[in-house]
Amino acid sequence: MQDDISGWSDWKHNFEGIEEISSPSELHGLLTGVVCVTEAPTRDEWLQILSTLNVPKLDDDALALLEEEANDVAHALAEDELDYLPMLPDDEHFLSERVQALADWCAGVVLGFGLASGHIRANEQELIESLQDVASVEFEETDDDEEGEQSYQELYEFVRLIPVSLSVGRKKISVLNSSLLQNFHSKMKQNIETSDSSNLVEMFTPHRPS
C-alpha cells in the first residue's frame, strides 16, 4: 500500500486516538497551517503547542515524527514547486474515509493558521473560505461511484495547493514570537499563581487541633 510510502501508516499509528484532535489528518493540517506562518516548531515547542490544545503529552517517537514532518513541510512550502502533499490515506481506502480525512485536514489547516495568527493577505480570504467549505463536506452513499471518485481527486488537487499559496512570499516568524505559545505561557502563569496562592493560604491558615 502507498500508505507506507507516504508515511500515513506511521502517522496514523502515532496519532490515532487522540481525543482532543479529530483525526491524524487534522493534526497534519494543523501542522501545515502553523508552518505556513512560522518556522518549523522544535520538539519542545510542539510539546507546548499541544499543551495549549490540552493534548496529553506524546511519547518521544511521536514528537520526533512531528518535528521531522514540520521540517519537511516547511521545505516543501518554501520551494513553490507544488511538491507539498497532505498526509492522507491512499486510494485503497474507502472513498468515504478519504473524504472525511480530507475534510479533517482542511479544518486542521484553518485551525493551525489561526492559532499562529497568520494575517490574511489580499485574495487569501477566499482560500481560507474554500478550506472551510471542504471541512464541512459530508459524504453520502450516492457519492460512492466513479463520479464521486473524480470529484474527490479534483477537490484534493485544489485544496492541497492552498497552503503553498498561503506560505509563499510570507516572512516566517519564530514560534516564540507567534501567538502559538501565548496560551501556554498564560496557563503556566495561572498554574504558578494558583500554586503561590495555595502556599499563601497554607502559610496564613493555622493548623487547628482536631
Side-chain angles (χ1 to χ4, degrees), residues 175-186:
V175 173
L176 188 62
N177 291 329
S178 74
S179 63
L180 279 168
L181 302 185
Q182 286 182 359
N183 290 337
F184 174 79
H185 293 310
S186 296

Side-chain angles (χ1 to χ4, degrees), residues 2-176:
Q2 294 296 314
D3 285 346
D4 293 332
I5 299 174
S6 68
W8 172 254
S9 295
D10 285 343
W11 194 261
K12 182 179 180 182
H13 172 74
N14 279 279
F15 303 119
E16 189 174 40
I18 299 176
E19 293 183 1
E20 293 75 12
I21 296 175
S22 297
S23 67
S25 51
E26 184 184 39
L27 178 59
H28 193 265
L30 185 147
L31 177 154
T32 299
V34 166
V35 175
C36 284
V37 180
T38 74
E39 298 167 354
T42 64
R43 176 189 179 281
D44 288 341
E45 287 170 341
W46 275 119
L47 272 173
Q48 296 174 44
I49 292 168
L50 294 175
S51 174
T52 68
L53 300 174
N54 297 318
V55 174
K57 185 177 179 180
L58 302 178
D59 61 34
D60 289 340
D61 288 343
L63 289 169
L65 185 57
L66 272 177
E67 183 176 20
E68 179 183 355
E69 183 64 18
N71 283 314
D72 289 345
V73 167
H75 179 74
L77 294 179
E79 293 301 315
D80 192 19
E81 294 179 356
L82 311 184
D83 289 336
Y84 170 78
L85 296 174
M87 189 73 75
L88 300 170
D90 68 20
D91 58 10
E92 292 189 24
H93 292 259
F94 290 119
L95 180 58
S96 58
E97 182 181 348
R98 287 180 281 138
V99 168
Q100 184 60 57
L102 185 62
D104 289 345
W105 176 84
C106 288
V109 175
V110 174
L111 175 61
F113 190 80
L115 285 174
S117 283
H119 67 279
I120 298 178
R121 299 174 295 187
N123 303 321
E124 288 185 341
Q125 181 62 42
E126 185 177 349
L127 298 177
I128 297 296
E129 290 174 356
S130 294
L131 289 171
Q132 292 172 327
D133 288 342
V134 178
S136 63
V137 165
E138 294 185 2
F139 183 83
E140 298 181 2
E141 291 185 6
T142 55
D143 297 325
D144 195 9
D145 54 19
E146 186 174 340
E147 185 177 346
E149 183 70 43
Q150 182 177 350
S151 296
Y152 168 80
Q153 293 297 334
E154 291 174 355
L155 202 58
Y156 168 83
E157 286 299 329
F158 170 64
V159 297
R160 83 172 180 89
L161 298 180
I162 289 179
V164 178
S165 298
L166 294 174
S167 177
V168 169
R170 186 184 298 274
K171 183 178 180 180
K172 302 301 173 66
I173 60 176
S174 69
V175 173
L176 188 62

Side-chain angles (χ1 to χ4, degrees), residues 187-204:
K187 183 186 294 186
M188 291 295 291
K189 182 178 179 181
Q190 184 178 13
N191 289 341
I192 292 172
E193 290 175 348
T194 301
S195 176
D196 289 345
S197 297
S198 298
N199 291 337
L200 286 171
V201 170
E202 290 178 5
M203 287 172 61
F204 291 100

